[in-house]
Amino acid sequence: MAAPQQQTALRPHRACRQSWRRLLAVSAMSTFPAASFYLVGATLPAYLSDLSAMAPRVALGVHFANLVVLCGVIPLGGWLADAVGRTSVLVTCCAATAALAYPVWLLVGVGLPAVAWLGQLLLVVGFGIYQGAAVESGVMALPKGVSCAGRACLT
């Protein structure tokens, strides 16, 4: 009879107790994706239809087009993180989004559908690339026993 194999993965509760600082850091990384989804998913469509006097049908069309783009940009962010490096992709996306946030918000408020689409598209590209790189970073930052917790925090 063969001896049972020794498990190399940590038990989740023990790994969480030992890696709580890493889990906290990964949770902090999730604030940018959470805020971006709230901004793109809830605030911008309401802003387009209410404050910029755009018809709700047009505002939702702009919103839908950018969500389709977001679905393609998230895997691109993961690919860029593999090709260039996770840290550089995350820092570049945060810096670019912070620098462009106010000017892009002014573009969205112009009231023209094409300009609003362009403004929201610039935000969506920055958010999507960050999210693609952040999921990989969260998984890689944690030990084997809690790598799924890193993914759960960032999705």
Side-chain angles (χ1 to χ4, degrees):
M1 185 173 247
Q5 291 181 342
Q6 184 179 357
Q7 291 183 349
T8 57
L10 297 172
R11 298 202 181 273
H13 67 279
R14 194 168 115 215
C16 290
R17 194 172 54 235
Q18 292 174 352
S19 305
W20 67 272
R21 286 186 179 101
R22 288 183 181 184
L23 276 172
L24 189 61
V26 169
S27 296
M29 284 174 49
S30 70
T31 57
F32 187 69
S36 66
F37 271 127
Y38 177 74
L39 179 67
V40 170
T43 305
L44 279 175
Y47 179 77
L48 285 174
S49 63
D50 292 343
L51 297 176
S52 65
M54 193 179 293
R57 185 175 186 181
V58 174
L60 287 176
V62 167
H63 177 65
F64 177 74
N66 282 317
L67 287 181
V68 169
V69 170
L70 180 65
C71 289
V73 171
I74 290 174
L76 176 68
W79 177 80
L80 276 174
D82 285 339
V84 178
R86 292 184 303 270
T87 304
S88 60
V89 170
L90 292 173
V91 170
T92 303
C93 284
C94 286
T97 305
L100 294 175
Y102 186 70
V104 166
W105 192 265
L106 291 177
L107 273 179
V108 172
V110 168
L112 299 171
V115 176
W117 177 77
L118 177 66
Q120 189 177 6
L121 177 71
L122 291 172
L123 288 175
V124 162
V125 168
F127 296 155
I129 291 174
Y130 181 90
Q131 289 163 354
V135 171
E136 180 188 1
S137 298
V139 171
M140 298 303 288
L142 297 174
K144 187 175 181 182
V146 289
S147 61
C148 61
R151 185 185 177 287
C153 287
L154 288 161
T155 55

